[in-house]
Amino acid sequence: MTLGPAAAPPPGFLALCETNPRECVDTDASARDLVEIRAWAARTRWAGVFRTAGIAVPASAPAAIDPAPVSVQAAAARSVVKVKATPRSVRAAKDRLRKAVDRPSPKLKPAVAAPTPQPAPPQTRTVPAPQLRRGPAPSLRDLETVNRRLNRAIRRGSDQDLFGQADIWVAPTGSRPRGDCEDYVLAKRRTLIDAGVDPSRLSIALVQTRRGEGHAVLLVATEAGEFVLDNLSPWVLRWDQAPYEWRERQAPGRPLSWVAAG
């Protein structure tokens, strides 16, 4: 699969990293790594919100202005000279106020939003390099077993029906699990990791179906290539045999980095 330039992580993935960062990386991530992942996900998600709204976000927010020291405030209060108001001075003040209000304001040019830099993902120590393979590659039969078992166990349900809002990524649990395509992916990813598969072999990918609908699948890297685990099919196919248009995916071995795919 050809990997393109860096892409913005999906908002649902970022929200998942904020609430449950272990689902974004390896189960062996340290407490410090998890804190850094949460902070990165929050920064990246809000940067995307501002970018969508056309608001330029400075690289660093200005520091808060501290109030003046008590001594300065006291000196300013002592320097105020009280003037007794007269009818003439009151009329003059009202005239000045009226003129200030009636004066036309200068025309301001609309501000042009500068591009918002994409926060770099934290370099967690538990995420291996792409060439590292700690665990054995699963067999095609194992992948088919996991794919079919979870496809049968999880009932399809939209995020709007389940949570009242769109694009919620969460691994289905309970006696009657339900979820959409991203939730199937997270459940299969967790099952394979618990079975001993190296997390660096697993990548979430976003595709477009022949109907033009957005969809998510799980890619599993093996010596024979990358295979697709899909809740829309019981068959496990190579990525170039799946009937999809590839859009974005996690970079191999770097789950916090997303790239264009094709």
Side-chain angles (χ1 to χ4, degrees):
M1 180 182 297
T2 303
L3 302 182
F13 174 79
L14 294 173
L16 173 69
C17 293
E18 286 187 73
T19 57
N20 195 355
R22 288 191 185 277
E23 293 295 332
C24 300
V25 288
D26 197 347
T27 54
D28 297 332
S30 66
R32 180 178 178 181
D33 290 337
L34 299 180
V35 171
E36 293 178 354
I37 292 170
R38 282 195 176 100
W40 163 80
R43 290 195 307 269
T44 308
R45 184 170 62 86
W46 280 109
V49 172
F50 288 130
R51 188 184 305 108
T52 303
I55 302 175
V57 181
S60 58
I65 300 177
D66 296 330
V70 177
S71 58
V72 176
Q73 295 178 351
R78 290 194 299 269
S79 63
V80 175
V81 179
K82 296 183 178 180
V83 180
K84 184 178 180 180
T86 63
R88 183 174 182 180
S89 63
V90 172
R91 287 195 299 270
K94 289 183 178 180
D95 292 339
R96 290 195 298 270
L97 179 60
R98 187 180 300 108
K99 291 180 180 179
V101 173
D102 296 339
R103 185 182 302 117
S105 59
K107 295 183 179 180
L108 300 178
K109 296 182 179 180
V112 178
T116 306
Q118 186 75 18
Q123 297 297 323
T124 58
R125 295 181 295 278
T126 56
V127 179
Q131 67 273 17
L132 296 183
R133 293 290 182 265
R134 294 178 301 174
S139 66
L140 182 59
R141 176 175 296 181
D142 292 336
L143 294 181
E144 290 179 342
T145 299
V146 170
N147 190 58
R148 293 182 180 182
R149 179 167 63 85
L150 291 180
N151 285 356
R152 290 194 299 263
I154 302 173
R155 294 178 56 195
R156 294 188 196 178
S158 67
D159 292 332
Q160 194 66 42
D161 294 338
L162 297 176
F163 306 104
Q165 52 183 314
D167 203 22
I168 302 296
W169 291 31
V170 59
T173 58
S175 57
R176 302 179 63 182
R178 296 182 61 188
D180 62 0
C181 55
E182 297 94 354
D183 306 331
Y184 281 87
V185 166
L186 295 176
K188 294 172 184 178
R189 180 180 184 273
R190 174 54 48 203
T191 299
L192 290 173
I193 292 176
D194 292 343
V197 176
D198 187 350
S200 66
R201 293 184 178 273
L202 310 177
S203 301
I204 303 173
L206 303 182
V207 300
Q208 181 173 308
T209 67
R210 291 175 176 175
R211 297 183 177 181
E213 300 172 339
H215 185 50
V217 297
L218 181 65
L219 290 171
V220 182
T222 71
E223 279 67 20
E226 288 187 304
F227 287 83
V228 181
L229 273 63
D230 188 357
N231 68 296
L232 298 182
S233 172
W235 310 109
V236 175
L237 305 175
R238 276 178 52 100
W239 74 270
D240 51 357
Q241 297 173 341
Y244 297 131
E245 179 180 345
W246 298 87
R247 293 301 181 87
E248 299 172 1
R249 61 167 291 174
Q250 291 174 314
R254 292 182 290 137
L256 300 182
S257 298
W258 287 71
V259 295

